[in-house]
Amino acid sequence: MCRSYRVQLRLWEGSVEVLRVRTDEILELTGLERLRHGFAVSSCDGCPEADRHCKREQNHKADVGLLTAGAVVFGVQRLVPTMDPTWYRNLNKPEWTPPNWMFPAVWIPLKLAQSVAVWLVWKSAADKQELALPLTVFGASLALGNWWNVVFMGRHQLQPSLKWMGAFWLSIAGSIAAFHPFSPLAAALVAPTQLWVTIAAKLNYDIVQLNKSRDNKQD
């Protein structure tokens, strides 16, 4: 059985110091790495047993992180109460309005892409403090998207829904900007959501214009 393996110690200045530690310390070190105290396994030099252990730890964390991101993104969407679709069907809509089946067909892959994007940002951050801005902005986009549904589909407030759609659009743009320094791929994965919400915003505006005479329900 091998007696040691190598780890990297990330220093605040960005330099890397290679340390050699005993194999029986691997559980302690991987625990520290999970807490992001600076240790990261780089290789298990000449140690197949430790190498397999390292890879299992890394794969486990990757799986858990991705599942957690997906649960958050899809779970927040479930907070929106079920809406009666009859009201929407009876609205005057532009000729180019997408068919109803297209909305879930588009949003499901978009949510999957967002989940991967959040996971990429999470694992790219050096510490949890760095995550505050990107996750706050992204969380705001989820909340604003849900609130727009409440205002438009739930309360049937057409004109007020426009300002919430604008805020939703801006929050997605902010998420892309906040994700990019951590992972350009994460930013790119959120970009299709920006495109789809742009289309939704145009549809929202056209519906408002075509239904100005409708007696909107107000608070």
Side-chain angles (χ1 to χ4, degrees):
M1 179 176 178
C2 59
R3 295 170 180 253
S4 67
Y5 70 104
R6 291 191 305 164
V7 297
Q8 287 182 346
L9 174 60
R10 298 195 188 102
L11 304 180
W12 288 110
E13 294 79 7
S15 59
V16 174
E17 180 181 344
V18 176
L19 304 176
R20 184 171 291 278
V21 299
R22 298 198 336 251
T23 303
D24 57 11
E25 295 173 345
I26 188 169
L27 291 177
E28 179 183 353
L29 285 170
T30 52
L32 286 172
E33 198 278 334
R34 281 197 297 271
L35 293 173
R36 306 199 69 83
H37 282 188
F39 289 99
V41 174
S42 60
S43 66
C44 301
D45 190 18
C47 183
E49 297 95 335
D51 187 50
R52 285 193 294 271
H53 186 92
C54 297
K55 289 179 179 178
R56 282 197 302 270
E57 285 284 327
Q58 292 165 351
N59 290 338
H60 175 72
K61 288 193 304 178
D63 293 342
V64 171
L66 185 55
L67 288 173
T68 300
V72 171
V73 171
F74 281 92
V76 169
Q77 183 66 32
R78 298 301 301 168
L79 295 176
V80 178
T82 302
M83 309 297 181
D84 180 7
T86 304
W87 174 81
Y88 176 76
R89 284 199 297 264
N90 291 332
L91 288 174
N92 298 319
K93 292 182 283 293
E95 293 182 358
W96 62 272
T97 301
N100 290 338
W101 62 263
M102 185 176 291
F103 292 96
V106 171
W107 272 114
I108 289 174
L110 289 180
K111 292 294 184 182
L112 289 173
Q114 290 173 24
S115 301
V116 175
V118 171
W119 172 67
L120 289 172
V121 171
W122 179 273
K123 76 186 190 97
S124 299
D127 56 61
K128 291 182 179 179
Q129 290 182 341
E130 288 189 351
L131 292 169
L133 177 60
L135 294 189
T136 298
V137 176
F138 181 73
S141 74
L142 296 179
L144 287 167
N146 282 0
W147 185 245
W148 177 87
N149 273 301
V150 171
V151 172
F152 184 87
M153 297 295 294
R155 298 181 176 180
H156 307 164
Q157 295 177 345
L158 296 180
Q159 190 67 39
S161 71
L162 288 176
K163 66 179 181 182
W164 292 112
M165 176 60 78
F168 182 32
W169 190 95
L170 289 173
S171 67
I172 296 171
S175 297
I176 294 173
F179 281 11
H180 190 272
F182 295 91
S183 170
L185 177 57
L189 286 170
V190 181
T193 300
Q194 183 86 81
L195 176 60
W196 180 247
V197 172
T198 300
I199 296 172
K202 179 62 167 66
L203 178 60
N204 190 176
Y205 177 81
D206 287 354
I207 288 176
V208 170
Q209 297 305 308
L210 292 171
N211 294 272
K212 283 186 175 181
S213 60
R214 186 177 289 266
D215 184 20
N216 298 325
K217 181 169 64 176
Q218 301 291 334
D219 273 340

